[in-house]
Structure formats: C-alpha cells, structure tokens
Amino acid sequence: MKSVTLAYLLMYNIIQFLGWFVIAVLMAIRLSQTGQHKGLFDVVEALVLAVQAMTILETVHSVTGLSKSSPVASLMQYMGRGFALFFITLRIPGIRNTPGVALYLAAWAIGDCTRYPFYISSLLGSPPYWLTWLRYSMFVPLYPLGFFGELMAIYAAGQTVLESGQFSVAVAGQTINFYYVLCCYAALGCFGFFQNYSYMFSQRKKALKKFQNKAH
C-alpha cells in the first residue's frame, strides 16, 4: 500500500512540476517575442486551468494524511488562487490582459517550479540543502509579488463591475454593487497575507534549522 501511495504522490507532484515548468517557459518565450504582457494568459490558459484545478487534491492529501500540510492552509491557498483565476480572470471581461494577471501567473509558476521538486525529493529521501533553501526562500519575493498581482487584477475587475453593474445583487430591496464585495475581499486578503507571510517565515526558520543541527 505504501508503494502505491508513494507512486501516486510522485506522479502528482511530477505532473504539477512539469505543468508549471511548461507554463513558465511558454510565458518567457511569449514575453521575449512580444515584449508585453498582453496575450500571455491566452498562451497558457488551458494548462494553467488544468494544473490549478488539480491542486484541490492537495487539500484531499492533507485531510487523508497523505501529506503533512495543513488542510486549512491548503484549502485557503486553493480558494485564493481559484478566486483570482477562475472568477476574476475568466468571468470578468478584459481582466486576462491586465498586468496583474501576468504578474501573479509568473509568481505562481516560478514558485511552484521550486516547490514541487522539493516535494518530489522529500518523497524519495532527504532533499539537499540548496533545494530546501530555495523552497523556503523563494516565497520571500514571490509571495508578495503574486499577491500584489492578484490585488491588481481585483482592482481592475472592481473598476469594470463598478461601471457595468455585473454580478450586482439585491439585498432587502437594495442593490449592492459587486465592487464593494471585491473591496471587502481585498481587505480580508491583506489581513490574511500578513498572517500567512509571518507563518511562512517561521516555517523557513524551522526547516533551515534542521540542516544546521545536522551539520553539528
């Protein structure tokens, strides 16, 4: 049973790594050819949607004990990315070509190109120090960049729905523009960002300390 579980987890993480690696390469090629962010999402759309949809399995892995990750943290990451990708970028006209989308996609791709190799190495044994350092250091610039990109996309979406009234809802006889929902979401997201960022630094300290202890 353990061998079947190991084979499944290896396959999942390899697929995710290859998916995000191809996304990063395609974005780099497109950017080098055109020199602009417009059209980047169109080039990688199908692949991004596929690999990101698959990440719900990471929450399942956490709940079932297949991984040591926190189920809550895993689900929150999935929901945050899912909202930016499947709702903001796909459902609101014009957002896919905004710089925020290109920024968060680049941050996700680069980050996951270090995250999944670390998981693969951990499944096969003990990951080397350099890979552990990358896994727990790349988030320092990439997490804020990705979050800022998501905020940029949300801001652009807010301007669109404010003018169009798209997704407005009627509550107790009053019409609530979806713009204000996005504002509340962004405010909560900022609070969550600082909480998660602090937590990630504490995890980094623990992970790198293990190697220091081994060295002694």
Side-chain angles (χ1 to χ4, degrees):
M1 186 64 181
K2 288 184 178 180
S3 60
V4 174
T5 300
L6 176 61
Y8 162 73
L9 291 174
L10 281 172
M11 180 179 67
Y12 171 80
N13 285 288
I14 289 171
I15 289 172
Q16 284 288 337
F17 166 66
L18 291 176
W20 285 109
F21 179 75
V22 172
I23 289 167
V25 170
L26 290 176
M27 289 181 66
I29 292 173
R30 173 74 179 187
L31 191 60
S32 67
Q33 291 175 338
T34 65
Q36 59 180 0
H37 64 271
K38 291 184 179 179
L40 280 178
F41 183 77
D42 294 329
V43 172
V44 298
E45 178 178 356
L47 190 52
V48 168
L49 296 180
V51 294
Q52 187 54 42
M54 280 182 64
T55 59
I56 188 61
L57 291 173
E58 295 179 21
T59 301
V60 177
H61 298 163
S62 301
V63 172
T64 57
L66 292 181
S67 73
K68 298 179 182 179
S69 302
S70 164
V72 175
S74 178
L75 181 61
M76 291 300 291
Q77 182 182 36
Y78 178 79
M79 292 176 64
R81 284 192 176 191
F83 184 76
L85 178 62
F86 295 109
F87 186 79
I88 296 295
T89 305
L90 288 183
R91 296 292 305 278
I92 300 178
I95 302 304
R96 62 174 55 217
N97 284 320
T98 58
V101 172
L103 182 58
Y104 79 62
L105 280 181
W108 292 2
I110 297 171
D112 284 352
C113 279
T114 58
R115 185 163 68 100
Y116 287 108
F118 173 81
Y119 292 156
I120 293 167
S121 182
S122 297
L123 289 168
L124 295 174
S126 179
Y129 178 78
W130 65 267
L131 186 55
T132 303
W133 187 89
L134 281 176
R135 164 69 181 93
Y136 288 100
S137 299
M138 291 299 288
F139 80 88
V140 177
L142 293 177
Y143 189 60
L145 284 175
F147 180 68
F148 184 63
E150 292 175 31
L151 284 182
M152 289 174 66
I154 291 172
Y155 174 79
Q159 301 308 302
T160 299
V161 298
L162 183 61
E163 297 174 2
S164 67
Q166 187 179 14
F167 303 118
S168 295
V169 293
V171 178
Q174 298 293 322
T175 300
I176 299 178
N177 194 294
F178 194 70
Y179 168 81
Y180 299 104
V181 176
L182 290 178
C183 288
C184 291
Y185 177 85
L188 290 173
C190 290
F191 175 78
F193 166 80
F194 288 109
Q195 293 290 321
N196 290 336
Y197 204 41
S198 299
Y199 173 75
M200 292 163 77
F201 270 103
S202 67
Q203 291 298 102
R204 180 182 189 274
K205 184 177 180 180
K206 290 179 183 178
L208 297 184
K209 189 175 182 180
K210 289 181 180 179
F211 274 92
Q212 294 175 352
N213 292 337
K214 288 180 181 179
H216 296 292

